[in-house]
Amino acid sequence: MTAPDTIVLIHGFWVTPRSWEHWITHYESKGFRVLAPAYPGLEVEVEVLNADPTPIAELTVPRIVDHLAAVIAELDSPPILIGHSAGGAFTQLLLDRGVGAVGVALNSAPTEGVRVVPLSQLKSTFPVFKNPANRHRAVPITFEQWQYAFTNTFTEEESRALYERYAVPVNGGIVWGGVLANFQPGHQDTWVDYSNDDRAPLLFVSGGEDHIMPPAVQHSNAKHYKSAAVTEVKDYPGFAHLLPAQEGWQRIADDVLDWALRHAR
């Protein structure tokens, strides 16, 4: 079998593909083709989205996942999928569809049925949930909220620089929907078949100091999978939610690439 030669990096909420800038160059230097597709409508710069977040407010989970699947369908062979935060949930949804040779979910948002909600997660997402009207708009994140949810292990200087470079509003409806999915009948947007034996291998990576998607969420999500497909969890103590930008990220990038190449089908 030929090993995958393409890596698709899937960004999370409150950021854009710019958040993968260092991973893109790192993997390209190893000879891989690297794609970091934006969600549909978000193919503009951070500064543009902050000035007019209308495209963010118009997003839905099916629209995002369909768009990512269409990008991947253009490739000659199945790629390695690496998703961060909400991108980790989208990676799970894509794998469940049969898209991708292998998947890695970094500090992943949970898929439907994962009911673990640590206090730090509640505090991190409170800016969205404090107002029901946020279900219908893009919700910005303040620097203080960013510092708690994304960069709690960073210096204030590092945190502020990353906030100014990466941060954009979030689609409030999708965040609300992710919680309400566990209380509504039938399959919702983030449902996956946890018994799907045909799914490609999946690795959950958990930053030990992550406030918004703590280790308990990663381990609970992984335990929901009851299929014969490979599902593993690897913990990295000391890492916050914005793991792809934290000092020492290169080791994690290399670790997950090695795992993906060994398990790709």
Side-chain angles (χ1 to χ4, degrees):
M1 184 187 77
T2 304
D5 60 2
T6 302
I7 300 170
V8 176
L9 301 173
I10 304 171
H11 69 90
F13 291 159
W14 282 289
V15 296
T16 73
R18 186 187 284 182
S19 62
W20 287 118
E21 56 186 339
H22 302 306
W23 289 53
I24 292 170
T25 56
H26 185 72
Y27 285 147
E28 285 179 340
S29 72
K30 295 177 179 291
F32 288 88
R33 179 187 184 191
V34 184
L35 305 179
Y39 302 159
L42 272 63
E43 301 89 352
V44 295
E45 295 296 344
V46 166
E47 295 77 12
V48 175
L49 286 172
N50 280 316
D52 178 14
T54 303
I56 296 172
E58 295 172 345
L59 291 171
T60 65
V61 170
R63 189 168 166 232
I64 293 170
V65 178
D66 287 346
H67 173 73
L68 295 171
V71 170
I72 296 167
E74 295 294 318
L75 301 174
D76 293 333
S77 59
I80 296 168
L81 307 182
I82 302 177
H84 173 246
S85 194
F90 299 147
T91 295
Q92 295 179 66
L93 294 171
L94 289 165
L95 293 181
D96 191 44
R97 288 190 183 192
V99 176
V102 64
V104 178
L106 307 173
N107 289 340
S108 181
T111 42
E112 184 177 332
V114 180
R115 296 172 182 256
V116 174
V117 186
L119 287 175
S120 65
Q121 186 181 53
L122 288 173
K123 181 176 178 180
S124 297
T125 53
F126 180 72
V128 179
F129 293 119
K130 67 180 180 180
N131 185 350
N134 285 341
R135 293 178 65 179
H136 307 289
R137 59 192 179 200
V139 184
I141 187 170
T142 68
F143 172 65
E144 290 72 21
Q145 292 160 354
W146 169 270
Q147 200 171 21
Y148 180 82
F150 279 76
T151 56
N152 49 295
T153 61
F154 293 57
T155 66
E156 181 168 354
E157 184 180 14
E158 290 171 331
S159 182
R160 188 171 291 280
L162 291 166
Y163 173 74
E164 292 173 356
R165 181 153 180 78
Y166 294 160
V168 296
V170 71
N171 181 291
I174 296 178
V175 177
W176 271 84
V179 172
L180 296 176
N182 289 329
F183 304 99
Q184 294 174 318
H187 299 326
Q188 305 302 311
D189 289 345
T190 57
W191 180 83
V192 297
D193 179 3
Y194 292 117
S195 299
N196 181 1
D197 290 335
D198 294 328
R199 171 184 58 76
L202 171 63
L203 173 66
F204 286 90
V205 168
S206 178
E209 302 301 319
D210 188 346
H211 278 168
I212 191 168
M213 298 298 170
V217 173
Q218 309 309 313
H219 285 269
S220 178
N221 201 157
K223 286 178 181 176
H224 274 69
Y225 283 98
K226 308 300 182 186
S227 70
V230 173
T231 308
E232 296 182 6
V233 185
K234 187 170 178 59
D235 294 290
Y236 286 89
F239 278 85
H241 187 64
L242 197 60
L243 175 153
Q246 185 169 338
E247 184 178 355
W249 63 264
Q250 295 91 337
R251 174 170 64 96
I252 298 177
D254 290 343
D255 285 354
V256 302
L257 177 59
D258 179 65
W259 188 94
L261 291 172
R262 284 188 285 110
H263 290 86
R265 53 173 216 185

